[in-house]
Structure formats: C-alpha cells, structure tokens
Amino acid sequence: MNFINETMIEEYLSDFNELYLNKEVISKLKSYKEEYVNHNDQNTAKNIWILEQVYKVIAHYIKAFRYLKQKKHYEAWCELDRSDIELSFLYNHIDRTNDKFKLEFISQKTKDLQLLFPYTHFLSREAIVQNWKCSICGNSITLRNRCSHQLGEIYNGEMCCRIAQDMKFEAFAIVTDPFDKYSVLMLGNQEYNYAILDRLMEVWENPFENWRLEKNYVIKTEYLNLKRNDTCPCLSMKKYKKCCMDTPKVYDSNPFYKVIFNNKQIPKEYNENITAGTWKNN
Amino acid sequence: MKHESDKLNEVKVLDSNITFEQIYKSEYFPIELEEELKKCDVLLIPTLVERNEDEHYVFPEQTMNFYDYAKGFLEKEHISADICISDKDYKEFELHSIVETIATIIVNNVAFPFTINMISSYLYEKITNRNNINKKIKVNFEVVDGKKAKKIAYEGDASSFKETMEAIKIFEE
C-alpha cells in the first residue's frame, strides 16, 4: 500500500483487522510529523502522535496474538501489558465514544486474556526516587519550580514525561496483582499450565474476532443449602444472615471461566470443560 | 505504604493527638516556607520509612501530580493547601503498586469535606484514564478540630471512596 498522507494511514488503521501491520506506517508518520513540527502546526503533529500510539497499541496486541499461537506465552503476556500501557497514554487525547480504532475492543480482550493466564505471583519493586527532569525541555522539575510543560500533554508531537534522575533500589515484594505485569515469578522446577489459553487459541482465528468471557464463582461446600437463621460456618457464632450471607466470602476464590464465541460453530471436542491448575502435572 | 490490598472499603476512625503545631515542629518542616505553610488548612505530610537501616521521609509515587491537583482544586474553593517538605528534601517512595497510596493529609475539619471532594475528583480522572474501575486506594487523614484530632484511614475501592467517607461522622458530640 502506498500511503500518500496521514488521512490514508488513519483509514488504514481504522479498517485494520489482520495479523501483520504495514511497517512503512511508522516511518511515514515520523516524516509527516517532522514536517508539521517544522511549521509549528501543533494540532496536526498531535494527531499524528495519536496515530503513532494507535499503531503501537495494535502492533503489541497482534504480536501477543501471534505469540499465543506459537505457544510463547510469557512473550505474549508482556506484549499485552505493553499494549495496555501504550493505550493508557492515549486515553486523555481521544474521543472514546465511537471506538474508531477498535481500542476498547483491544482493551477488553487484553483484560480477558490476562485472566486466562496462570500467573499468580509477581515481583514488585521498591525504590526511592529524587530529582526529575522534563522530557520535552530537559529542565529540572521540583515541587515548586516547574517548566510550563504539563505531564501527559503533547508538545511537538511527543508526550511530556518525567525522567527520574536519581533512583535508589530498596527491595522487592512478592505480590499477586502487580503494576508491572512483566515481573512474573518463574520457578525453576515448575512449569506453568497454559491449557486454557492453548484451548482458546485452537478456536480463535483472528485477533479481531470477538468472544466474551463469562466469569462464574462456585459456592463453597460449607455454605451450600444454608438457611438464613443457621449458624454461620465461618465460626463467628453469628447467624448466617447477619454474617457471610450475600458477601463474597461464600464463594470459592477461584472463578471458572467460559469463553463464548458469537455466531461461531465450535467443534464438540473444544466444548469440554478444562480444569487447569497453575502448574503442569499438579 | 502497601503493594496490595484485599480490603473491602474499610474506613477506620481513631483518636489522634497530631496537631498542626506538632507538624510545624517536625524535623522535615521547611523553615524557609514557614510563613506560607502556617496559613494552610490542608497539608500533605511525609511518611517515615525504614529500609536497609536508613530512615527516609517520603511521599507515595505521583505525589507531585497529586500536589498540583490538590492545590489547584482547593484554591478554587478558597482553601490554601501545600506540601510540608522543601523542594530539595522531596522524595517519592515507588512501590509500583496496584494500590494507589495517597499522601497523608493533615486538614482542618472545616476543609475536610472539600478535601474529600478533591480526592474523589482526582480518583475519577485516574479511573477513567486507565479504564480501571477496580482501582484500589489507601489514604490517611489527620483531621483537626480545635483541640480535638482524629485519624481516618480509608482502604478499598477508589470508586467507593466518596460514598464511604461521606457516611462517617468524625466528631460526634
């Protein structure tokens, strides 16, 4: 495809539903942006930054899909996280009502896929940070002395960030719901069980084909068939109705998921339930 | 400061003896800013953390952004707010945590409802920016009313913060 202007690229990205993006898009956008910045056309330069971000979100997402097809699960996990991060930079700058670039779809699929990964524990770092500078002008930023650039805003087609100058690592914590999702704990003698994802990938043919995830919880055995005035099984000695009734405590903490494809005939062998633990051979 | 939270919108109200006067005498109080800070009804104050045998007065990550937001929002309500540290001593403690910790705030009781509104509005923007309705937060207040003081600690969903905080009574007669 020969792109002659940014409008063509916008249409290309908005109609895109394939497995590989045209790599020419990024270099074209860069050259258009340079031109608009040279003419100090800040609005158009910002619109091109938006297209660059859309490209990145889609590129990471479809790369994750391809990795999942190749059973490169951790690589796919990192790509999904990157897609989500790039998307978060965009949210302040786009109209989300019409979902022109299918970004809401990608965001939802990313969240759904993350739920199907077996990862449960991650590392979270602790650091003390001091002294920052502005990514746009390079000036030092302190509490009461700033440049005029606003964090997250777009200047000359680039997003304003803070660059930490002095960072001292202090500790790691082991957590279950991290901000840095790439920091998955890998155990030398154990292999993660990706059976659920692998089953999905046998049926899911295109990254833009829709499916939805139904999340269900099972009531714990001790709470089954209880009456309101029965003693609560949690050993509180209170009545069930005044204790755990209608609270999340009655459900098993591990949900089970059902993947539902609309308007698609799923072969019978893929419709059987899978019970998959975190680790293989457990 | 914590990395994670499994709390379901928990709010604790405890007796406290912290006053603005004590803050003015603290070792982190910047004397060069004394005049401005003593006029404030809302002050962000640091937390002392100990790591690897060193002690640091720190603020949660992104406090600088929160400080800008708080100052701007409260100024419109004619409430003066500031942060109780000098520029050179300002440090952020990054946990890269899914739980967003907001800097501890000492506030005059009259300014407390405005502070709740301000935090609620700040959180709303955060939730919509990252499309994260399940965001968890942790925030501590020291609320001062004359000679009485209460410590209020909220931990739970960002989306329930305002509703939960508005339901509590702090200085019951």
Side-chain angles (χ1 to χ4, degrees):
Chain A
M1 186 182 272
N2 189 21
F3 299 109
I4 52 166
N5 55 30
E6 65 271 20
T7 314
M8 259 186 98
I9 293 178
E10 189 173 337
E11 280 169 19
Y12 166 75
L13 290 173
S14 121
D15 296 340
F16 182 80
N17 60 1
E18 296 162 39
L19 271 178
Y20 291 90
L21 278 159
N22 187 331
K23 286 184 178 161
E24 203 193 336
V25 169
I26 280 292
S27 56
K28 286 274 184 185
L29 286 174
K30 197 177 170 201
S31 69
Y32 297 147
K33 192 163 75 176
E34 274 171 10
E35 210 171 301
Y36 288 116
V37 169
N38 286 338
H39 288 92
N40 201 24
D41 183 348
Q42 292 291 333
N43 281 342
T44 316
K46 178 177 173 174
N47 287 337
I48 291 181
W49 173 83
I50 289 174
L51 293 178
E52 286 177 327
Q53 282 304 114
V54 169
Y55 181 95
K56 286 181 196 169
V57 172
I58 298 174
H60 286 296
Y61 172 70
I62 57 176
K63 200 167 180 185
F65 179 89
R66 296 197 306 264
Y67 275 143
L68 284 173
K69 281 285 186 191
Q70 296 163 21
K71 295 191 171 24
K72 292 182 176 173
H73 304 96
Y74 174 69
E75 288 83 348
W77 172 265
C78 293
E79 291 296 329
L80 288 172
D81 188 31
R82 199 63 236 170
S83 175
D84 199 35
I85 291 167
E86 299 292 350
L87 183 56
S88 71
F89 298 151
L90 259 178
Y91 274 147
N92 270 348
H93 305 288
I94 51 166
D95 173 11
R96 290 165 61 185
T97 48
N98 64 8
D99 201 17
K100 186 175 176 182
F101 300 109
K102 305 184 195 78
L103 299 178
E104 296 297 325
F105 171 86
I106 290 175
S107 172
Q108 188 56 52
K109 280 294 139 286
T110 299
K111 286 185 173 60
D112 290 345
L113 285 167
Q114 284 169 338
L115 289 171
L116 298 179
F117 274 79
Y119 305 143
T120 53
H121 288 81
F122 306 82
L123 290 178
S124 181
R125 68 174 159 79
E126 290 183 10
I128 292 180
V129 190
Q130 207 172 4
N131 302 324
W132 293 261
K133 70 175 187 181
C134 168
S135 67
I136 302 295
C137 63
N139 287 339
S140 265
I141 292 168
T142 68
L143 273 172
R144 297 171 179 88
N145 191 5
R146 313 278 176 88
C147 59
S148 58
H149 301 115
Q150 297 288 314
L151 186 67
E153 265 311 318
I154 313 301
Y155 302 93
N156 294 332
E158 300 297 335
M159 188 175 73
C160 176
C161 307
R162 302 254 159 88
I163 303 169
Q165 299 291 285
D166 185 357
M167 186 181 222
K168 190 176 169 223
F169 168 79
E170 293 288 346
F172 274 127
I174 295 175
V175 301
T176 56
D177 191 3
F179 188 83
D180 293 324
K181 291 198 171 11
Y182 59 82
S183 58
V184 180
L185 266 184
M186 302 284 179
L187 300 185
N189 57 350
Q190 294 272 34
E191 206 180 332
Y192 279 110
N193 185 349
Y194 300 101
I196 296 173
L197 275 169
D198 291 346
R199 166 70 64 88
L200 167 67
M201 296 315 290
E202 286 173 30
V203 183
W204 193 23
E205 289 166 306
N206 176 291
F208 297 94
E209 179 185 16
N210 201 4
W211 48 269
R212 67 191 161 86
L213 204 57
E214 207 175 86
K215 188 178 181 182
N216 294 296
Y217 286 93
V218 182
I219 295 179
K220 290 177 192 164
T221 334
E222 61 267 34
Y223 288 100
L224 283 172
N225 306 321
L226 279 183
K227 294 195 177 86
R228 292 167 55 80
N229 288 321
D230 287 348
T231 308
C232 194
C234 75
L235 306 179
S236 65
M237 306 308 287
K238 291 179 190 168
K239 284 184 178 177
Y240 177 49
K241 68 179 180 187
K242 292 194 170 174
C243 190
C244 291
M245 197 171 101
D246 298 331
T247 73
K249 289 179 188 169
V250 303
Y251 297 105
D252 194 296
S253 58
N254 294 318
F256 70 88
Y257 295 104
K258 198 171 175 182
V259 176
I260 299 163
F261 281 86
N262 294 330
N263 311 318
K264 181 168 176 166
Q265 204 64 38
I266 305 294
K268 205 177 170 185
E269 65 267 30
Y270 297 127
N271 267 328
E272 290 162 13
N273 290 341
I274 300 181
T275 308
T278 300
W279 308 104
K280 272 187 186 173
N281 307 321
N282 270 358
Chain B
M1 290 178 221
K2 292 165 74 171
H3 287 263
E4 296 192 286
S5 172
D6 55 0
K7 292 280 189 299
L8 295 168
N9 312 330
E10 180 180 274
V11 61
K12 284 182 187 164
V13 181
L14 306 164
D15 287 329
S16 173
N17 51 12
I18 288 192
T19 60
F20 276 94
E21 282 66 33
Q22 274 177 288
I23 301 293
Y24 304 150
K25 288 177 195 157
S26 62
E27 57 180 313
Y28 55 79
F29 186 78
I31 296 297
E32 67 276 20
L33 299 168
E34 185 176 15
E35 198 180 331
E36 291 96 314
L37 297 189
K38 282 188 171 175
K39 288 177 194 160
C40 291
D41 290 313
V42 179
L43 281 177
L44 310 187
I45 52 174
T47 305
L48 186 65
V49 295
E50 192 187 329
R51 287 291 184 279
N52 304 322
E53 296 177 1
D54 285 332
E55 287 185 333
H56 308 266
Y57 281 108
V58 295
F59 290 87
E61 59 197 298
Q62 299 196 44
T63 295
M64 207 187 283
N65 308 337
F66 176 68
Y67 166 63
D68 289 345
Y69 191 91
K71 217 167 152 52
F73 187 102
L74 292 171
E75 262 172 21
K76 286 182 204 153
E77 305 289 349
H78 309 289
I79 293 167
S80 40
D82 214 313
I83 184 165
C84 199
I85 200 90
S86 70
D87 284 21
K88 73 172 171 45
D89 290 334
Y90 177 75
K91 291 176 188 170
E92 287 188 3
F93 188 52
E94 270 198 10
L95 294 182
H96 255 220
S97 160
I98 205 75
V99 184
E100 175 148 356
T101 306
I102 290 178
T104 302
I105 298 171
I106 182 163
V107 52
N108 262 326
N109 193 29
V110 284
F112 187 56
F114 298 99
T115 308
I116 297 298
N117 282 344
M118 177 273 290
I119 294 176
S120 167
S121 166
Y122 174 78
L123 293 174
Y124 178 78
E125 286 189 16
K126 286 258 172 186
I127 291 169
T128 47
N129 285 358
R130 195 73 198 259
N131 216 6
N132 184 4
I133 52 164
N134 299 320
K135 189 173 188 62
K136 299 270 186 188
I137 63 147
K138 187 170 183 292
V139 55
N140 289 331
F141 299 93
E142 298 287 346
V143 185
V144 181
D145 185 20
K147 287 182 180 171
K148 293 180 283 183
K150 295 275 184 184
K151 178 188 175 76
I152 299 168
Y154 176 84
E155 190 171 341
D157 295 332
S159 54
S160 303
F161 170 77
K162 191 173 185 196
E163 187 189 353
T164 311
M165 293 303 288
E166 282 177 348
I168 58 167
K169 289 188 172 60
I170 309 168
F171 295 103
E172 283 182 299
E173 292 307 317

